[in-house]
Amino acid sequence: MAVAMAIMTKQHLLTYIYLLVYISLSSGVILYNKWVLSTLYFNFPFPITLTMIHMAFSGAVAFFLIRVLKVVSPIKMTFHIYATCVVPISAFFAASLWFGNTAYLYISVAFIQMLKALMPVATFVVAVTCGTEKLRCDVFWNMVLVSVGVVISSYGEIHFNVLGTVYQVTGIVAEALRLVLTQVLLQKKGLTLNPITSLYYIAPCSFAFLFIPWYILEKPEMEDPHMQFNFWVFFSNALCAFALNLSTFLVIGRTGAVTIRVAGVLKDWLLITLSTVLFPESKITGLNVIGYAIALSGVVFYNYLKVRDVRTSQLQSIQDESAKELQTEKKADDAMDNKDEASWNDSVSDTHLDEEAPLISSRISHFGVGRKPA
C-alpha cells in the first residue's frame, strides 16, 4: 500500500511538473516573441522572418529526431495525401503564425490574449460551415457570450489599434481553419500526427508558403546595414518554440484534453499579469478585466460542454461495445444449441427406423422420447 501511494505521489508530482513546464514555455514564447519583435526592445520588426526561423529550426530538429535518432517513426505518406492534406493545412498554419506574430507590432500581449478568447467562436463557426459540427442552441448562445465579452474588452482597450486587431483576428480564423481541416482531412483518413511528425511534414511546407510574402514584404527592409541579428537570441527563441510543442504533447499524453484546457485558462491570466509587469506600456483597464472575465466564463462553459460531449460519446461507445458483446455471446449460445439439436437429430436418425420413422419420431416426441435433452 505504501509503495502504491509512493508511486501515485511520484506520478502526480511528475504531472504537475509537466504542467508547470507547459505553462512556463507557453507564456515564455509569447513574451519572448513580443520582446524580439517590439521596436521598443530588441527591435526586430520582421514577424515573417521570425516565423520562418521557427519553421526551419523545428523542421530540422524533427528531421534529426525521426531520420537519425529514430525517436518516432514517420507515417506512411503518399504524394496524394501530402498534396491534398498537408499542403492546405500548412498554408493555414503559416498564415496563423504570420498574422499572429504581426499583431505584436501593434497591440499589447494582454489585449492579444483577450482577443484569443474568440478562438472557440471561430472554430465553432468554421466547423458548422464545414459540416463537422451541428448548430446547437447552447453552444451558439455561449459563443454570443464570448463575443460580447471580447467586444467589451476591446472597447475598454486604451491603445486600441484597428490594424493589429485585424491581424490577430485573421490569425485566429486561420488557426480555426487549420484545426477543422486537420480533423476533416487527416483524421478521416485515419492519420494521426504527434508534434514531432507534424513539424516534420508541415514545417518545411509552411516555410515555403512564407517565403513569397517574406521576399516581397520583408527582404527589402532587411537589407539595411544597421539591422541587428543576434544568433543566440533567435536560436534560443526557436528552441523555446520547439520545446513548447513537445511539452504540449507530453501534457496531453499524461493528463488529457480537460487538464490542458484548464491549464490554458490559468496561463492566460498569468500571461496578462506578467505582460503588464514586463512591458509597462501595456495598460489594463477595469473594462478590459470585466469584458475578459465575461468572455472567459463563456470559454470555460464551452470547455465544459465539449468535455461533457466527449464523455457522453465515450459512454455510448462503451454501451455499444457491451451490446455487441452480448449479441456475440447470444449468437454463440444459439450456435451451440443448434449444434446440440443437430447432433440429437443425427442420433435419432442413426436408429435405422423404417419408412415410417418420421411419423414414429413425431409420435414418440409427445411421450418425451424424441425431445432433445434439457
Side-chain angles (χ1 to χ4, degrees), residues 116-183:
K116 283 183 179 180
L118 287 172
M119 190 68 220
V121 180
T123 306
F124 177 71
V125 172
V126 173
V128 171
T129 304
C130 295
T132 59
E133 192 166 337
K134 294 181 180 179
L135 183 62
R136 293 164 40 187
C137 287
D138 54 353
V139 178
F140 173 77
W141 288 113
N142 186 51
M143 296 299 100
V144 171
L145 179 64
V146 174
S147 302
V148 169
V150 173
V151 170
I152 294 174
S153 180
S154 301
Y155 185 77
E157 176 65 16
I158 296 177
H159 304 292
F160 182 81
N161 184 283
V162 176
L163 186 58
T165 304
V166 170
Y167 270 122
Q168 183 58 46
V169 172
T170 305
I172 290 172
V173 173
E175 177 66 10
L177 287 167
R178 183 191 72 83
L179 292 174
V180 174
L181 278 179
T182 301
Q183 180 183 1

